Amino acid sequence: MVVPKVAVCPICGKKTYMRIEDGGYLKEYPVRFNCINCRALIKGTYNISLPGQKGLILYNAKVEECDVDANSERILNADYVVEISGELPCAKVKAFDGKIIKTTPFINATDKIDMMDRINRLSYFVKNMEEWKAWRSIAFQLLNEGSTDYVPEALKHMMGEYSYKCDNYLKALHCLQEVVQEETKHLFYPESEDDIIAGLIADLAVIDRDKLHQFVDDKGGTDTLVSDYRKVIEIFSTFMNIYPNILPAETYMRYKTPEPLLGIATCSFEDLKSFYQDAYESLLSLLYIPVCMDNILMRSDYTSFDSAITGFVNDPGFRGARGSDYAKYVGMDNGKKADLINNAEPIQKTLRIPVNKDLRNGIGHNNYKYDGLTQTITTFDYRRRNRIKMQTSLMDVALDCLGLARAAVVFGEILLFILRQELRADNMHSAIHPRFYKKVGQNDRCPCGSGLKYKKCCRNDIGEMKPIK
């Protein structure tokens, strides 16, 4: 069902006919679109549970009812038209000829996506966001402030739908990671999150433990690992603030046939750029960890890099840190590290970090232009301001934000795997989520990646878990 309303621009007074998707599972979603005439950004929300105006609230513009001519069925009080949906890609704002548009964003999408998948994703998203706002986010805030002891209480000692005795901080971190996995389940597409994580742990499981310990010891011990994990958690908790704004992109990545002319009516570039820059920098600053894991797996030494990195840091023209190849690599610019990601190696290929150096630099140097009508971001050469470096769409930036959050989940799994191995010597043990153990026999290798048999590893922890009624 489409609810018709008219927005009156507070700057130029021009009027935009809003075709608002009403109903479904989203009780509230943000509204963002630009006036064609003066380009003012109109902001608001649509809440289906509020009385009056069908829940439409515009923060910086007035709302009118559509003035429809009874004879011609033309809308008389609109200059432009825009589609608005909280979960679907929509037609961008354009000039309006007065004719009432019969189709809806929902109908246009029915043959392009799996509708049952859409329903399941929306109901899952709404439930998780309600719980996130009510109590889950507190655990992330506590960890970010260093209050690890209170994380289990904040998560109600839950590992997903199971009770879990959090008697050490590693278990608390795994409960926290389960929340991350649950909230980001639908960002993994077309591969499933469980398959990616299970495959990642299987690759890490064969890593040489002595070499791994040497790496951890040299990088500053387990406290440094926990500090790095806090960086990953910060990415995730910040992502939750913009997640409702980019649900149309989560739908768009499932489109059977991409339609690049479609846009988003729930965010502007301003809503996304800070998250993009911060997540980009944080993840690339931690990139040496999965790279070093691949070094151990592939070349038996965390300081032994692939030929591309070795060739780059030993080139006579290399400008950067001095010392060993490892020191040169760690001191390298994040953008160059991104260039040297090797997707042919087992750990790095799971990351799929969306890398756009020109976009990141444009944001960092405030050297970009955003056209809200075409939803196009243009960045320029830092030295030659009239030279275009790149152009991308708001939809693609939103997709990259989803990808950065997805990569953060994988980074968290890598860090917690390393912690599990290191803390075993201190008799500190924890299990991953029970779903990974469902088909495991007593004498099978434990899914947590310890290399031990299940009966000598996680069996007791899993046995203590009880479904929460």
Side-chain angles (χ1 to χ4, degrees):
M1 173 182 174
V2 164
V3 174
K5 297 289 179 180
V6 172
V8 183
C9 178
I11 304 302
C12 67
K14 293 291 185 178
K15 300 181 179 182
T16 303
Y17 163 36
M18 299 175 291
R19 304 182 62 252
I20 306 166
E21 182 189 20
D22 178 64
Y25 289 85
L26 291 178
K27 295 179 181 178
E28 181 180 271
Y29 59 83
V31 172
R32 303 281 190 274
F33 67 92
N34 290 80
C35 170
I36 289 183
N37 187 57
C38 69
R39 296 178 181 261
L41 178 64
I42 310 300
K43 295 183 177 182
T45 59
Y46 188 78
N47 190 322
I48 66 174
S49 63
L50 290 178
Q53 295 189 5
K54 273 292 184 181
L56 174 66
I57 299 175
L58 295 183
Y59 306 142
N60 58 350
K62 292 189 297 184
V63 178
E64 291 183 355
E65 299 298 327
C66 292
D67 182 7
V68 182
D69 181 82
N71 295 319
S72 64
E73 293 190 340
R74 295 175 68 87
I75 296 177
L76 304 177
N77 60 332
D79 304 293
Y80 317 115
V81 60
V82 65
E83 288 184 343
I84 296 173
S85 170
E87 199 266 342
L88 291 169
C90 289
K92 301 170 190 175
V93 63
K94 61 182 180 180
F96 182 50
D97 62 6
K99 296 178 182 178
I100 294 176
I101 302 171
K102 302 295 185 181
T103 59
T104 71
F106 178 84
I107 291 174
N108 288 334
T110 52
D111 63 341
K112 299 178 180 69
I113 56 175
D114 181 333
M115 298 310 294
M116 285 305 300
D117 171 75
R118 177 183 190 253
I119 293 169
N120 291 335
R121 283 190 302 108
L122 276 174
S123 58
Y124 194 85
F125 172 82
V126 169
K127 172 182 175 293
N128 283 345
M129 284 302 297
E130 288 175 350
E131 293 185 351
W132 173 263
K133 292 176 181 177
W135 57 276
R136 283 179 173 173
S137 60
I138 297 173
F140 292 79
Q141 169 248 317
L142 290 171
L143 178 66
N144 193 46
E145 296 176 1
S147 302
T148 313
D149 292 344
Y150 290 97
V151 170
E153 283 73 19
L155 291 175
K156 304 179 182 179
H157 289 270
M158 290 172 61
M159 174 73 91
E161 301 299 322
Y162 294 83
S163 62
Y164 190 42
K165 184 179 180 182
C166 292
D167 50 7
N168 64 59
Y169 79 84
L170 182 58
K171 288 184 175 181
L173 296 183
H174 272 110
C175 283
L176 205 67
Q177 185 67 8
E178 162 54 24
V179 173
V180 171
Q181 290 179 18
E182 188 171 344
E183 304 290 1
T184 57
K185 172 182 176 182
H186 292 295
L187 304 188
F188 288 77
Y189 183 84
E191 311 97 322
S192 76
E193 183 181 61
D194 285 1
D195 287 344
I196 292 291
I197 292 172
L200 173 68
I201 293 174
D203 285 329
L204 289 168
V206 299
I207 202 166
D208 185 295
R209 297 303 194 267
D210 290 335
K211 302 289 186 181
L212 180 63
H213 177 71
Q214 182 185 357
F215 167 74
V216 174
D217 196 43
D218 289 350
K219 82 184 294 290
T222 56
D223 287 346
T224 304
L225 291 173
V226 174
S227 177
D228 289 341
Y229 184 67
R230 286 169 62 185
K231 287 184 183 179
V232 172
I233 288 302
E234 176 63 19
I235 293 171
F236 173 75
S237 57
T238 305
F239 170 76
M240 292 301 287
N241 295 327
I242 67 164
Y243 197 1
N245 297 71
I246 56 178
L247 272 179
E250 189 185 291
T251 299
Y252 185 75
M253 72 182 184
R254 290 170 165 77
Y255 263 44
K256 299 168 187 174
T257 305
E259 296 188 24
L261 294 180
L262 291 176
I264 302 179
T266 53
C267 68
S268 72
F269 186 50
E270 295 299 311
D271 294 312
L272 308 184
K273 68 176 187 177
S274 292
F275 171 79
Y276 182 92
Q277 180 179 357
D278 293 346
Y280 177 103
E281 292 296 337
S282 292
L283 290 178
L284 290 180
S285 73
L286 298 174
L287 184 58
Y288 74 97
I289 297 174
V291 169
C292 287
M293 295 302 98
D294 276 331
N295 289 348
I296 297 174
L297 282 168
M298 305 296 288
R299 290 168 289 278
S300 302
D301 185 341
Y302 80 84
T303 65
S304 180
F305 295 89
D306 66 33
S307 58
I309 293 176
T310 301
F312 180 78
V313 300
N314 289 297
D315 186 276
F318 176 76
R319 294 182 180 181
R322 299 300 173 188
S324 65
D325 288 359
Y326 177 78
K328 291 177 181 178
Y329 176 77
V330 172
M332 195 185 295
D333 173 78
N334 280 343
K336 191 59 195 177
K337 288 177 185 172
D339 289 340
L340 294 169
I341 292 174
N342 187 346
N343 291 317
E345 302 213 330
I347 309 304
Q348 291 170 72
K349 74 179 181 182
T350 64
L351 300 174
R352 292 171 51 196
I353 303 174
V355 174
N356 189 328
K357 290 192 299 181
D358 290 330
L359 178 59
R360 180 261 171 259
N361 291 336
I363 296 171
H365 297 295
N366 198 29
N367 195 27
Y368 68 89
K369 180 181 178 181
Y370 175 60
D371 185 332
L373 302 182
T374 63
Q375 299 192 350
T376 302
I377 302 101
T378 305
T379 67
F380 302 90
D381 188 279
Y382 183 64
R383 294 178 178 83
R384 299 166 60 186
R385 295 285 179 143
N386 62 342
R387 181 183 175 188
I388 293 175
K389 289 287 287 184
M390 67 106 233
Q391 287 187 319
T392 190
S393 70
L394 183 63
M395 181 69 79
D396 284 339
V397 175
L399 290 168
D400 282 354
C401 288
L402 297 175
L404 290 167
R406 183 175 58 238
V409 178
V410 177
F411 266 93
E413 290 298 325
I414 294 170
L415 287 164
L416 290 182
F417 172 86
I418 299 171
L419 277 169
R420 281 200 300 277
Q421 315 317 313
E422 288 297 301
L423 295 174
R424 195 174 290 277
D426 298 331
N427 293 319
M428 193 179 294
H429 180 259
S430 73
I432 56 179
H433 192 276
R435 64 178 176 271
F436 291 105
Y437 300 87
K438 287 182 177 179
K439 298 180 181 179
V440 183
Q442 297 294 316
N443 293 309
D444 291 342
R445 294 284 184 182
C446 191
C448 79
S450 65
L452 301 174
K453 291 182 178 181
Y454 172 57
K455 65 183 180 183
K456 293 185 177 180
C457 191
C458 290
R459 183 183 65 179
N460 290 339
D461 272 341
I462 295 300
E464 292 175 356
M465 290 188 187
K466 306 296 181 186
I468 296 172
K469 298 180 180 180

